[in-house]
Amino acid sequence: MRPPSDAALSRPGPATRAPRPVPALLGTAERHLRVGRPADLGYAVTRSHLDDGRCVGWYGPPTPGWRVAVDAERADADVPPALAHRFGRADFWARWTRAESLCKLADVPVAAWWRRHGLAVPPDSRAVWRTLRLDDLVVTVAFAPLRPGP
């Protein structure tokens, strides 16, 4: 896999709030991502399925106290017209994969997220993320602290 170009990276999430090792993992995310067939990525910590039959899996080390999620889309995929009308085309797949990753971490359906936040990150979010270009894909890796128990 080709390393991402600097131009392909989006601004990372508020990593200053995250204790190590989470920012270090985000900084080296491409080392922990694999692209392949779903059957070959069964041991991934978390996965994202693509519309062309491939899958992106996260193989990073354990992060006690944190949940991790990934979302990926083909960078050259057409933006569906209804979504382009609602959210605009600029940086669409970066914003989309970020919102999808944060939805996974929050256990919130994407339609509910859209109604509340669009494709934006809520200002009180404790999640940290990195969006990168990996070959022909836009991928967001996001972490959120585990919720404290009752």
Side-chain angles (χ1 to χ4, degrees):
M1 282 183 235
R2 201 172 69 226
S5 69
D6 289 338
L9 300 178
S10 70
R11 194 183 104 248
T16 56
R17 295 188 218 160
R20 298 266 176 224
V22 171
L25 285 173
L26 288 174
T28 60
E30 58 275 358
R31 295 183 197 168
H32 305 291
L33 292 165
R34 306 283 180 275
V35 180
R37 297 177 319 144
D40 297 334
L41 300 179
Y43 292 105
V45 174
T46 185
R47 302 184 301 176
S48 177
H49 295 266
L50 298 158
D51 65 350
D52 63 5
R54 293 179 295 165
C55 184
V56 176
W58 175 259
Y59 287 86
T63 52
W66 292 84
R67 292 180 64 195
V68 62
V70 297
D71 192 67
E73 298 290 343
R74 289 180 307 106
D76 64 353
D78 291 331
V79 177
L83 294 176
H85 177 73
R86 183 171 184 171
F87 301 115
R89 292 184 185 278
D91 257 349
F92 180 82
W93 293 120
R95 294 182 296 127
W96 176 269
T97 61
R98 182 184 60 217
E100 283 276 5
S101 293
L102 298 177
C103 285
K104 292 174 185 180
L105 291 172
D107 293 323
V108 172
V110 71
W113 186 275
W114 291 348
R115 284 191 294 277
R116 287 186 221 146
H117 311 293
L119 295 182
V121 177
D124 60 346
S125 175
R126 296 179 57 208
V128 293
W129 70 89
R130 179 175 171 210
T131 300
L132 58 128
R133 180 78 182 255
L134 191 64
D135 294 331
D136 64 328
L137 304 175
V138 175
V139 181
T140 294
V141 179
F143 288 86
L146 292 173
R147 294 182 188 134

